């Protein structure tokens, strides 16, 4: 293929890259006067980037740039979810950023660059493009974490994230070089082929390093330590963004790497992923019980949820990959909605972040209380809410692959996790009311929270069947 | 298995009709101002009463005009595509479920009326919770798809735990070093106990789904009629599946030793919550045993029958003794529920026609009688705000009508011939007697014990002289309370005096279940 042909398949990424530069220029030359307009500009860029995903050359499956970049159905599905997630994250932040007076124009630009990184991640079929994608995404996220640079907590979060993130990148890179050393290839299909005959011990060592690095990126135990601090310290809309799109991208990359590059040695990596999955579910469930800060609670909750999503990866089957996609999509909607509600927890003296601030919310603000309740029951995985179906599909995948202990561990962890979600719900409904929150939270935040909670309730007949159809079609493309 | 489809989606309408009421209440609330709280509350009550009554009327229409009691197999079946690959939206009823649908729609308006004056805080929230609960309960009995069943089965936890937690009674206890409200404790216990059981069932359910794919030509399915008629689960796997389903249903029933959530939940729940819990939610467990455990895992059911018998007998005797020692009226009735459910489980796993029909009958009858008993407690609780047995005494002098109703339902609970409780207990004992004489003999001892605690409760509350000053002014049942109790009394009397029509409704479904059960056991024996 000629360069031009190659480029024509990467239109969404190239468009985002050029548009981001353009927006950056605009921001710099106008001295950041138009921060709000730039938010809308970024949203427009992402919306426009959705178009070539479904129409034209770029929507065709192809493997380009010497097999480093793939535009298969899996990548398309992931990109669509990531772009949409990023759009809603930007919508969530506008009002908050203005209130906190940190509405600088770099914010949407950084979101766009990280989205570009994620886009690259989910498409990459080569260790080098994988690493580039991860780094582009991570570097943007480090800055976003410390975006409130006058706040000590926020700067601390950014620094912690950066130091630990750099360490994990080292692991990842070291793993990648080992894999290259023992297989002589960097593209996934070539690694898969060489992996059948290569010296397995060295390859497995590299694989373990790769898995460790990726587990860090998706905040799976035992590489989860950074999550609570970063979640707590970052500005809340940034935390919402962290919990949504990057998690999806990381998990998608994890899934693709495992099934495309190492399908032949599934017996070697499956136990590792199972262990990470069980540990994440357990740590997520038990550590969350003691939390008093709602953002830290959400951090542990996300660790637990990554454990469930990894159940699908551990299965390593088409069913498993499809379930991961469904899980992460539904998780993204739930988590964005929950953070929408958390953004509404504001008192005149500042943001309220303690779980005790939610006490008696059902009496002071019944609407918000109902939404919190819906999201927490959904995160818990209670039917008929959509969160149940996310779990349902990963359980199917795990049991289909014969991973019974994993499925039972998942069931038990769900019951433990139910305890802390239920504590919050009971606090909302039973305790004596805490002082009221302010009513102005911004229309878009309200809209997103309401829409997400409605989706959770009616998801049983709407998004679940739809996601199932598209996710299975997307997963199929990895197994051709 | 024969299925009779329905052109009009009666069951879906019935299941989701309470949600119309929910929407109306939310709309009314959204359109009102802050100072209109009372008007909104009244409207909420009316809407709730109207929608539950509508559901009751619809269910009567369905039962009398659409449902054919002589047919075997599922009727009024509706199916639609849902989440793909064999998991569909499918509703339908047969002899084992139609009467429980009726029981649910019948009890609900009574619950709403019972809460009319006794619930004063957050009335519209309360009504919304009850209406959602009704949808879930009807759905459980109508669902003909395992996943759909699970959705409704688990979904009922959400409104119920909020009902217990918010509108439960006051009082505090220390738990793990912290002082918490009793009702919060009860709500947690109810939720976590049932959830843990159900999650294991979920794992089993998924295994069944995947297994069916390996034997059916059309791929895996969770369609209940197909699983019942075309899939034979291997004997070894049945053991695990049976245990997983048992974990869920035994907690729900509840069976000894996993019954401890029930007294807490009952004591803390508001009166109407207790009524729903005793009359309907507990029945989901027994229904599940008959619908799934017995016909789908016959070999395991047969294998585990002695275990169930043992647990049932312990439940009958031990919880009766515990009931005897209670000082709280609701707790006493709660323990008596556990004992009565012991008859149900015993009857089901006897695998005989009498046993299973008796179990279904017992569940239905217990729905009326225990519901009425909780209402009776509610009547005096609303007046005196205590459930202590010792706080009462001599009520017959001030409340003659109340004493009459209470007498009737106590006798029903004891199992007096002529009232519905007798028929179910008798039949289950006959069924068990055929299989295990000892179990039947020990269960009979339980009957005597139930008379002991029932009569003790009655004597201490109703008879004697009034010694406590506040009781002097207590008033008898008002017209509303009398009407509710009267309706339940008529139902219990009708079932008790003329059980045959009801048993005839059960019998086609029970025959189907037992044919499959016997066939599987014969196949193993050969």
């Amino acid at each position: 293929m000629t360069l031009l042909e190659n480029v024509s398949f990467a239109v969404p990424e190239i468009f985002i890259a050029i548009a981001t530069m353009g927006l950056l220029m605009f921001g710099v030359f106008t001295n950041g006067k138009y921060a709000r307009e730039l938010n809308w500009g970024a949203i427009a860029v992402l919306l426009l980037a959705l178009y070539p995903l479904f129409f034209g050359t770029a929507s065709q499956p192809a493997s380009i740039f010497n097999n480093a970049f793939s535009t298969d159905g899996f990548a398309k599905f992931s990109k669509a979810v990531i772009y949409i997630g990023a759009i809603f994250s930007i919508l969530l932040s506008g009002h908050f950023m203005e209130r906190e007076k940190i509405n600088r124009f770099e914010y949407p630009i950084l979101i766009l660059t990280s989205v570009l990184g994620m886009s690259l991640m989910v498409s990459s079929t080569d260790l080098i493009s994988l690493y580039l994608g991860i780094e582009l995404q991570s570097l943007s996220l480090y800055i976003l974490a410390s975006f409130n640079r006058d706040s000590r907590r926020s700067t601390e979060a950014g620094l912690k994230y950066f130091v630990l993130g750099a360490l994990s990148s080292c692991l990842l890179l070291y793993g990648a070089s080992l894999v290259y050393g023992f297989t002589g290839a960097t593209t996934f299909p070539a690694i898969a082929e060489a992996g059948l005959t290569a010296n397995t011990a060295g390859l497995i060592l590299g694989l373990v390093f790769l898995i460790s690095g990726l587990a860090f990126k998706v905040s799976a135990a035992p590489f989860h330590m950074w999550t609570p601090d970063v979640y707590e310290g970052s500005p809340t809309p940034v935390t919402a963004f962290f919990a949504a799109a990057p998690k999806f991208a990381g998990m998608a990359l994890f899934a693709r790497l495992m099934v495309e590059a190492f399908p032949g040695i599934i017996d070697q990596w499956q136990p590792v992923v199972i262990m990470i999955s069980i540990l994440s579910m357990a740590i997520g469930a038990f550590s969350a019980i003691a939390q008093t800060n709602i953002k830290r609670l959400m951090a542990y909750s996300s660790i637990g949820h990554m454990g469930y999503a990894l159940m699908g990866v551990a299965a390593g089957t088409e069913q498993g990959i499809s379930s991961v996609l469904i899980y992460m999509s539904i998780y993204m909607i739930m988590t964005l909605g929950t953070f929408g509600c958390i953004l509404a927890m504001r008192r005149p003296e500042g943001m309220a972040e303690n779980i005790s601030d939610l006490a008696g919310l059902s009496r002071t603000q019944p609407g918000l209380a109902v939404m919190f309740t819906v999201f927490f029951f959904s995160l818990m995985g209670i039917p008929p809410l959509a969160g149940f179906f996310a779990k349902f599909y990963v359980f199917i995948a795990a049991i289909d692959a014969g991973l019974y202990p994993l499925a039972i561990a998942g069931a038990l962890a769900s019951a433990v996790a139910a305890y802390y979600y239920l504590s919050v719900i009971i606090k909302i409904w039973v305790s004596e009311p805490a002082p009221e929150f302010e009513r102005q939270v911004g229309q878009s935040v309200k809209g997103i929270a309401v829409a997400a909670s409605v989706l959770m309730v009616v998801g049983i007949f709407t998004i679940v069947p739809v996601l199932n159809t598209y996710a299975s079609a997307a997963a199929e493309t990895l197994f051709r | 298995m024969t299925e009779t489809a329905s052109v009009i989606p009666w069951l879906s309408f019935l299941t989701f009709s309470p949600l119309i009421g929910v929407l109306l209440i939310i709309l009314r609330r959204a359109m009102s101002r802050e100072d209109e709280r009372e008007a909104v509350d009244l409207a909420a009550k009316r809407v709730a009463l109207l929608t539950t009554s509508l559901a009751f009327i619809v269910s009567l229409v369905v039962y009398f005009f659409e449902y054919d009691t002589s047919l075997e197999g599922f009727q009024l079946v509706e199916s639609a595509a849902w989440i793909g690959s064999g998991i569909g939206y499918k509703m339908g009823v047969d002899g084992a479920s139609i009467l429980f649908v009726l029981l649910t729609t019948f009890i609900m308006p009574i619950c709403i009326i019972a809460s009319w004056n006794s619930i004063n805080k957050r009335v519209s929230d309360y009504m919304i919770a009850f209406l959602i609960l009704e949808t879930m309960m009807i759905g459980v009995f109508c669902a003909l798809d395992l996943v759909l069943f699970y959705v409704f089965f688990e979904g009922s936890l959400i409104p119920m735990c909020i009902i217990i937690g918010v509108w439960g009674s006051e009082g505090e206890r220390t738990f793990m070093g912290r002082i918490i409200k009793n009702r919060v404790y009860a709500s947690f216990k109810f939720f976590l106990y049932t959830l843990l059981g159900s999650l294991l069932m979920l794992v089993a359910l998924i295994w069944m789904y995947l297994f069916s794919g390996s034997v059916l030509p059309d791929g895996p399915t969770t369609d209940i009629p197909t699983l019942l008629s075309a899939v034979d689960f291997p004997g070894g796997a049945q053991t695990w599946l049976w245990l997983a389903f048992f974990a869920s249903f035994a907690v729900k029933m509840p069976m000894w030793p996993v019954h401890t959530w029930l007294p807490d939940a009952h004591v803390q729940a508001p009166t109407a919550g207790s009524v729903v819990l005793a009359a309907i939610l507990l029945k989901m467990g027994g229904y599940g045993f008959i619908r799934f455990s017995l016909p789908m895992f016959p070999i395991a059911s047969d294998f585990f029958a002695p275990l169930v018998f043992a647990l049932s007998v312990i439940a009958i005797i031990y919880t009766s003794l515990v009931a005897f020692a209670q000082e709280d009226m609701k707790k006493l009735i709660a323990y008596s529920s556990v004992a009565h459910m012991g008859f149900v489980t015993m009857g089901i796993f006897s695998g005989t026609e009498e046993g299973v029909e008796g179990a279904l009958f017992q569940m239905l009858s217990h729905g009326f009688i225990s519901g009425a008993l909780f209402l009776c407690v509610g009547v005096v609780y609303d007046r005196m705000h205590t459930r202590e047995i010792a706080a009462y005494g001599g009520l017959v002098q001030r409340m003659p009508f109340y004493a009459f109703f209470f007498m009737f339902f106590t006798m029903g609970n004891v199992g007096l011939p002529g009232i519905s409780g007798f028929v179910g207990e008798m039949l289950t004992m006959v069924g068990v007697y055929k299989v295990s004489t000892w179990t039947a003999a020990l269960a009979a001892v339980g009957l005597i014990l139930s008379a002991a605690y029932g009569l003790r409760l009655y004597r201490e509350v109703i008879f004697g002289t009034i010694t406590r000053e506040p009781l002097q002014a207590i008033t008898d049942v008002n017209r509303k309370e009398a009407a509710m109790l009267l309706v339940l009394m008529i139902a219990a009397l009708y079932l008790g005096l003329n059980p045959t029509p009801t048993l005839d409704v059960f019998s086609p479904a029970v025959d189907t279940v037992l044919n499959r059960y016997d066939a599987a056991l014969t196949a193993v024996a050969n």
Side-chain angles (χ1 to χ4, degrees):
Chain A
M1 260 192 264
T2 63
L3 179 66
L4 206 60
E5 274 172 332
N6 277 332
V7 166
S8 65
F9 281 101
V11 167
E13 285 76 19
I14 290 169
F15 171 70
I16 294 180
I18 294 173
T20 309
M21 302 298 167
L23 290 178
L24 182 62
M25 291 297 169
F26 177 74
V28 171
F29 284 112
T30 53
N31 265 335
K33 259 187 292 184
Y34 298 100
R36 183 187 289 190
E37 286 71 14
L38 273 174
N39 269 345
W40 291 110
I43 290 170
V45 167
L46 289 170
L47 280 175
L48 287 173
L50 278 172
Y51 179 81
L53 280 184
F54 299 104
F55 306 97
T57 323
S59 66
Q60 302 303 317
S63 195
I64 51 172
F65 297 123
N66 294 322
N67 291 334
F69 189 93
S70 162
T71 57
D72 52 9
F74 180 83
K76 245 171 34 175
F77 181 94
S78 307
K79 282 178 203 169
V81 175
I82 289 168
Y83 295 171
I84 294 171
I87 290 172
F88 285 116
S89 304
I90 299 176
L91 283 174
L92 273 182
S93 37
H95 188 261
F96 177 92
M97 295 306 207
E98 277 171 34
R99 287 290 301 257
E100 299 287 314
K101 306 205 170 44
I102 48 172
N103 53 332
R104 284 191 288 276
F105 76 95
E106 292 92 339
Y107 181 73
I109 310 281
L110 285 167
I111 296 238
L112 282 180
T113 49
S114 71
V115 167
L116 183 59
M118 290 177 223
S119 211
L120 204 55
M121 280 161 73
V122 297
S123 267
S124 67
T125 49
D126 184 295
L127 290 174
I128 295 170
S129 57
L130 171 153
Y131 183 73
L132 288 178
I134 288 187
E135 281 308 282
L136 181 54
Q137 177 228 25
S138 302
L139 287 171
S140 317
L141 296 186
Y142 303 146
I143 310 173
L144 280 173
S146 52
F147 200 72
N148 188 0
R149 57 187 176 202
D150 298 329
S151 148
R152 195 178 282 184
R153 276 165 74 208
S154 181
T155 344
E156 183 193 324
L159 189 65
K160 260 187 193 158
Y161 196 11
F162 173 67
V163 172
L164 290 171
L167 182 70
S168 86
S169 294
C170 292
L171 292 178
L172 200 76
L173 206 52
Y174 187 49
S177 61
L178 277 174
V179 169
Y180 172 65
F182 282 95
T183 59
T186 55
T187 61
F188 293 177
I191 294 173
E193 206 172 306
L196 295 174
T197 51
N199 175 345
T200 12
L203 183 60
I204 291 164
L205 195 63
L207 179 60
V208 168
F209 276 113
L210 275 177
I211 292 180
S212 309
L214 286 175
F216 178 92
K217 300 294 178 196
V218 297
S219 77
F223 307 98
H224 63 283
M225 312 298 186
W226 59 275
T227 327
D229 291 335
V230 172
Y231 267 47
E232 188 190 359
S234 308
T236 310
V238 174
T239 315
F241 178 62
F242 282 177
K247 287 274 160 64
F248 188 101
M251 200 51 88
L253 174 63
F254 206 144
R256 185 198 281 277
L257 180 68
M258 289 300 122
V259 303
E260 277 202 336
F262 304 103
I265 50 171
I266 181 166
D267 293 341
Q268 310 292 337
W269 58 260
Q270 196 173 43
V272 180
V273 178
I274 290 178
M275 192 200 71
I276 294 179
S277 164
I278 293 182
L279 264 181
S280 306
M281 292 188 288
I283 287 178
F286 284 103
S287 310
I289 293 175
Q291 300 308 318
T292 53
N293 181 295
I294 186 99
K295 280 160 82 180
R296 287 187 85 86
L297 182 100
M298 288 305 291
Y300 282 106
S301 151
S302 88
I303 294 168
H305 280 281
M306 292 310 114
Y308 288 102
L310 282 172
M311 276 171 81
V313 178
T317 54
E318 201 181 309
Q319 173 81 268
I321 303 307
S322 152
S323 75
V324 173
L325 293 178
I326 299 175
Y327 197 99
M328 294 309 294
S329 311
I330 293 180
Y331 177 70
M332 196 172 86
I333 305 174
M334 284 194 287
T335 202
L336 281 175
T338 315
F339 275 101
C341 290
I342 293 174
L343 280 169
M345 295 167 60
R346 168 189 283 282
R347 300 230 172 83
E349 66 270 18
M351 289 303 286
E353 287 182 358
N354 284 329
I355 296 172
S356 56
D357 289 318
L358 286 171
L361 187 69
S362 64
R363 263 177 271 184
T364 49
Q365 275 159 284
L368 187 60
V370 167
M371 286 194 280
F372 260 119
T373 312
V374 166
F375 289 127
F376 275 65
F377 274 122
S378 189
L379 286 165
M380 206 191 288
I382 301 294
L385 304 168
F388 163 71
F389 293 93
K391 286 216 171 92
F392 179 66
Y393 285 112
V394 292
F395 275 93
I396 291 189
I399 294 173
D400 196 22
L403 309 175
Y404 302 119
L406 180 60
I408 290 176
L412 297 178
S414 284
V416 177
Y419 173 78
Y420 67 82
Y421 290 124
L422 195 60
S423 315
V424 182
I425 294 169
I426 293 284
K427 193 152 262 162
I428 289 175
W429 286 89
V430 180
S431 301
E432 289 307 309
E436 275 194 48
F437 298 127
E438 279 180 6
R439 299 282 171 152
Q440 292 105 358
V441 289
Q443 294 302 324
S444 53
V445 175
K446 245 185 226 170
I448 288 172
V450 171
S453 60
V454 169
L455 270 186
M456 288 299 110
V457 174
V458 300
I460 173 171
F461 293 123
T462 53
I463 52 172
V464 174
V466 173
L467 272 176
N468 186 31
T469 315
Y470 286 105
S472 16
E476 208 188 324
T477 58
L478 284 194
F479 289 86
R480 284 232 182 89
Chain B
M1 189 168 287
T2 52
E3 284 178 32
T4 324
S6 161
V7 186
I8 307 169
W10 284 108
L11 296 177
S12 295
F13 176 75
L14 199 56
T15 306
F16 294 106
S17 64
L19 296 185
I20 304 171
V22 172
L23 282 181
L24 288 175
I25 296 177
I26 292 175
L27 279 181
R28 179 72 182 81
R29 242 171 72 160
M31 291 188 307
S32 66
R33 294 188 309 274
E34 287 277 306
D35 54 343
E36 287 186 316
R37 279 269 302 283
E38 278 181 14
V40 173
D41 287 352
L42 187 64
K45 287 182 201 169
R46 285 184 179 152
V47 169
L49 185 60
L50 269 178
T51 30
T52 50
S53 311
L54 174 77
F56 180 51
I57 293 167
V58 172
S59 66
L60 284 180
V61 170
V62 169
Y63 179 66
F64 286 110
F65 299 108
E66 300 289 325
Y67 184 81
D68 184 346
T69 51
S70 61
L71 287 182
E72 276 199 26
F74 294 101
Q75 302 183 32
L76 300 164
V77 172
E78 310 156 15
S79 48
W82 185 27
I83 45 178
S85 15
I87 307 173
Y89 174 86
K90 190 163 186 180
M91 306 279 261
V93 282
D94 71 349
S97 53
I98 179 76
L99 289 178
F100 291 103
V101 175
L102 274 181
L103 177 70
T104 311
T105 54
F106 172 72
I107 293 285
M108 283 311 287
I110 295 183
C111 286
I112 304 291
I113 298 173
S115 330
W116 204 271
N117 293 330
S118 56
I119 299 294
N120 299 319
K121 58 172 188 179
R122 301 157 79 179
V123 178
S124 52
D125 297 353
Y126 180 86
M127 295 300 162
I128 290 174
F130 257 85
L131 290 173
I132 294 176
L133 187 60
E134 182 174 22
T135 290
M136 298 299 169
M137 293 188 302
I138 301 177
V140 163
F141 295 118
C142 291
L144 282 190
D145 181 279
L146 266 178
V147 178
L148 193 63
F149 171 83
Y150 186 84
V151 165
F152 287 124
F153 189 81
E154 281 279 277
S156 64
L157 291 182
I158 298 178
M160 197 60 207
C161 98
I162 289 184
I163 289 172
I164 297 175
V166 178
W167 294 277
S169 51
E170 298 300 326
E172 286 172 341
R173 68 158 72 202
T174 38
F175 177 68
M176 301 209 313
R178 274 183 298 173
I179 297 172
I180 58 168
K181 290 199 171 83
N182 271 335
R183 59 175 199 257
V184 170
Y185 175 79
S187 170
F188 268 103
K189 203 165 171 181
F190 166 76
F191 193 92
L192 296 177
Y193 256 72
T194 18
L195 180 71
L196 184 60
S198 307
L199 283 168
L200 295 175
M201 178 168 84
L202 177 67
V203 173
L205 182 159
I206 291 172
W207 192 89
M208 290 162 70
Y209 167 67
L210 295 168
F211 176 80
S212 73
S214 64
V215 292
L216 294 174
D218 304 335
T221 183
T222 50
D223 183 64
I224 291 173
T226 316
L227 289 176
L228 279 173
S229 56
V231 182
D232 286 310
F233 295 102
Q238 279 193 20
T239 313
W240 295 106
L241 296 174
W242 190 91
L243 284 172
F245 274 68
F246 185 72
S248 174
F249 296 144
V251 169
K252 204 80 169 187
M253 276 299 282
M255 290 179 75
W256 185 86
V258 284
H259 66 285
T260 58
W261 65 269
L262 184 76
D264 280 308
H266 263 315
V267 169
Q268 298 308 323
T271 303
S274 291
V275 173
V276 171
L277 197 55
I280 306 156
L281 285 176
L282 301 191
K283 308 304 181 282
M284 291 178 184
Y287 172 75
F289 279 137
I290 294 174
R291 176 69 79 227
F292 305 110
S293 301
L294 207 53
M296 288 186 190
F297 324 127
I299 301 166
S301 295
D302 185 54
F303 177 75
F304 284 113
L307 171 76
V308 176
F309 289 160
L311 294 179
S312 307
V313 166
I314 295 175
I316 294 170
I317 295 179
Y318 169 75
T319 51
S320 296
L321 289 171
V322 174
F324 192 78
Q326 293 308 310
E327 286 165 2
D328 182 304
M329 296 163 84
K330 264 188 164 178
K331 235 178 188 159
L332 189 148
I333 302 170
Y335 279 111
S336 110
S337 287
V338 180
H340 283 95
M341 288 300 114
F343 284 96
V344 174
T345 43
M346 180 178 93
I348 293 172
F349 287 98
S350 72
T352 57
E353 188 166 354
E354 294 86 351
V356 179
E357 280 186 18
L360 283 165
F361 197 91
Q362 169 80 341
M363 289 201 282
L364 204 57
S365 132
H366 184 260
F368 295 123
I369 293 176
S370 72
L373 279 173
F374 280 115
L375 282 177
C376 284
V377 176
V379 168
V380 287
Y381 181 77
D382 284 345
R383 288 165 174 72
M384 307 307 297
H385 299 286
T386 172
R387 293 178 309 260
E388 291 264 323
I389 297 176
Y392 295 97
L395 287 184
V396 68
Q397 295 169 29
R398 292 284 177 279
M399 310 174 76
F401 286 105
Y402 178 72
F404 166 71
F405 284 120
F406 201 3
M407 169 68 100
F408 178 86
F409 291 113
T410 309
M411 286 302 137
N413 203 33
V414 169
L416 190 76
I419 307 174
S420 59
F422 172 73
V423 183
E425 285 172 11
M426 196 64 213
L427 279 173
T428 49
M429 293 225 287
V430 170
V432 173
Y433 188 84
K434 286 184 176 172
V435 189
S436 161
T437 323
W438 273 109
T439 311
L442 289 169
V445 175
L447 279 183
I448 302 169
L449 291 174
S450 84
Y453 65 74
L455 292 175
R456 168 188 164 243
L457 171 70
Y458 192 74
R459 188 194 68 217
E460 295 194 5
V461 172
I462 304 291
F463 290 144
T465 49
I466 294 183
T467 49
R468 281 164 202 82
E469 201 49 42
L471 287 180
Q472 293 289 357
I474 197 165
T475 51
D476 206 346
V477 284
N478 56 31
R479 264 185 298 178
K480 195 188 73 197
E481 290 159 347
M484 290 189 297
L485 292 171
L486 193 66
V487 171
L488 287 165
M489 190 172 122
I490 293 169
L493 262 183
Y494 171 75
L495 283 182
L497 293 175
N498 189 12
T500 326
T502 313
L503 291 172
D504 286 345
V505 176
F506 291 143
S507 70
V510 173
D511 286 343
T512 319
V513 168
L514 289 180
N515 284 341
R516 194 171 154 72
Y517 178 73
D518 292 334
L521 291 188
T522 328
V524 172
N526 295 334

